[in-house]
Amino acid sequence: MDRRTALRILVGVGLAMAVPVQAVDLREITWLMLMPKDWNPRARLGDRRLEELDDNDPKAQQVLREMRAVLDAAPTVTHLDGAVVKLPGYIVPLEQTKDGLTEFLLVPYYGACIHTPPPPANQIVHVKSSKAWKDFDPITAVWVTGTLKASRRDSGVGVSGYALDLAKMEVYRGR
């Protein structure tokens, strides 16, 4: 069994903290790496002149529905499927108990999915942890580390294109 397979097994049972970091094929990734290079959601709009539409215009509402469908179906980068990654982002809590946070969405910017429409699915990671994490605030950026999977899920807050089994989380302090 190679180190990567061993780490995936350990992450799956919540024991990844016992594996030294240097033994892991860890990839620090960025949000742009989660989008296929040739994906262009604006191409679907064609030459429509959206600035001429009023927000209450039924045509504008139809365009918004079409674009939401395109963003929710955003393609993922499948070569990252199964990779052990480290990614910075912001927390959108989904499941929290008195013991801490166990499920959340990781998004690239503060306020995504709450104060604004959700980002494309390939810019939302659904994170689950067998361990409850305390003292993490949605306005503070974090690093998450774990095994990434291309997996679409609608949480009701946003459609995620990826899932991550959380092994480690820490406050983001830059690179």
Side-chain angles (χ1 to χ4, degrees), residues 88-89 140-143 170-175:
T140 303
V142 297
W143 282 106
E170 58 194 314
V171 173
Y172 178 84
R173 300 197 195 295
R175 292 193 162 134

Side-chain angles (χ1 to χ4, degrees), residues 76-82 147-152 160-164:
T76 57
V77 177
T78 55
H79 75 269
L80 289 173
D81 196 39
T147 303
L148 188 72
K149 297 178 209 123
S151 174
R152 197 164 308 275
S160 55
Y162 296 96
L164 185 126

Side-chain angles (χ1 to χ4, degrees), residues 28-173:
E28 188 176 301
I29 63 171
T30 66
W31 288 97
L32 287 176
M33 295 169 78
L34 296 176
M35 289 192 301
K37 290 182 184 355
D38 61 347
W39 183 62
N40 180 6
R42 295 183 69 67
R44 177 88 179 255
L45 290 173
D47 59 356
R48 294 183 196 173
R49 299 189 52 93
L50 299 179
E51 65 277 1
E52 294 175 2
L53 296 175
D54 180 60
D55 285 349
N56 296 320
D57 185 332
K59 291 178 187 174
Q61 297 302 314
Q62 179 59 31
V63 170
L64 287 174
R65 283 190 295 276
E66 287 175 23
M67 284 310 298
R68 185 73 262 156
V70 168
L71 297 177
D72 288 348
T76 57
V77 177
T78 55
H79 75 269
L80 289 173
D81 196 39
V84 178
V85 301
K86 182 177 181 181
L87 176 69
Y90 291 88
I91 293 170
V92 178
L94 295 176
E95 290 289 327
Q96 194 163 0
T97 68
K98 62 178 176 51
D99 297 324
L101 190 63
T102 57
E103 187 175 351
F104 59 93
L105 299 179
L106 188 73
V107 294
Y109 53 89
Y110 175 72
C113 300
I114 296 174
H115 303 299
T116 62
N122 57 22
Q123 296 294 282
I124 301 175
V125 179
H126 185 254
V127 180
K128 282 191 166 188
S129 175
S130 58
K131 172 188 172 188
W133 296 83
K134 288 188 175 206
D135 302 324
F136 283 94
D137 186 345
I139 65 169
T140 303
V142 297
W143 282 106
V144 297
T145 303
T147 303
L148 188 72
K149 297 178 209 123
S151 174
R152 197 164 308 275
R153 179 167 183 221
D154 187 346
S155 66
V157 178
V159 175
S160 55
Y162 296 96
L164 185 126
D165 294 324
L166 187 63
K168 181 179 179 183
M169 184 165 57
E170 58 194 314
V171 173
Y172 178 84
R173 300 197 195 295

